[in-house]
Amino acid sequence: ALDVIRCARAAAAAGGGGPRLTCAVTPHHLLWSSSQMNGTAGLLYKVNPPLREPSDNIALRTALKQGEIDWIETDHAPHPLCDKIYPPYASGFPSLCLYRNLVEEVLPFWGMDEDAIRRVTCDNICRTFGISK
């Protein structure tokens, strides 16, 4: 998906026009890979879009730090976790519970400063949707 976003943005910048694009990522797509789906707890990690390879985590993290991803959004999965382990195996993860740890501990560990974190958690969203802070 990042490649599609990059190509569309490049075409628009080169004068090809097109719609204004935004791109967001969830905490679980930054933190987890498909390897979490192995073992007995694997169904808890069933999300849509699905988790990918560890190299995709790195690509998403890099794109976030470089400003190619506009903001971090959460998957407000409304179902209890027990719905994930019994048929029909609900998809999604209530990633709001991951958000605080990601913002306060993980993003600084990855080298994002306060200004960069503010951009991907508030400023870019407000600017895109015309919300005053």
Side-chain angles (χ1 to χ4, degrees):
L2 279 175
D3 289 338
V4 171
I5 294 292
R6 287 175 179 138
C7 287
R9 285 179 172 168
R20 181 170 177 226
L21 298 173
T22 59
C23 179
V25 66
T26 63
H28 49 273
H29 286 97
L30 289 168
L31 296 169
W32 301 333
S33 70
S34 56
S35 62
Q36 266 79 21
M37 296 196 67
N38 299 330
T40 56
L43 287 173
L44 295 176
Y45 297 94
K46 179 183 175 207
V47 295
N48 196 4
L51 299 174
R52 305 291 184 191
E53 298 302 312
S55 60
D56 294 305
N57 295 108
I58 294 167
L60 289 170
R61 293 170 191 170
T62 301
L64 182 70
K65 290 191 322 187
Q66 293 176 345
E68 294 180 274
I69 294 177
D70 300 297
W71 59 78
I72 301 168
E73 59 190 18
T74 60
D75 179 357
H76 297 295
H79 49 268
L81 291 178
C82 65
D83 286 355
K84 296 184 68 61
I85 58 174
Y86 298 107
Y89 309 112
S91 184
F93 192 86
S95 59
L96 191 56
C97 63
L98 298 172
Y99 194 84
R100 182 176 181 174
N101 181 262
L102 176 74
V103 170
E104 291 180 356
E105 296 179 31
V106 178
L107 295 181
F109 178 77
W110 290 342
M112 292 184 72
D113 63 22
E114 274 189 40
D115 289 337
I117 293 170
R118 189 178 309 105
R119 279 192 300 276
V120 298
T121 59
C122 178
D123 294 350
N124 291 346
I125 298 164
C126 291
R127 185 180 64 251
T128 298
F129 295 102
I131 300 168
S132 59
K133 294 185 264 178

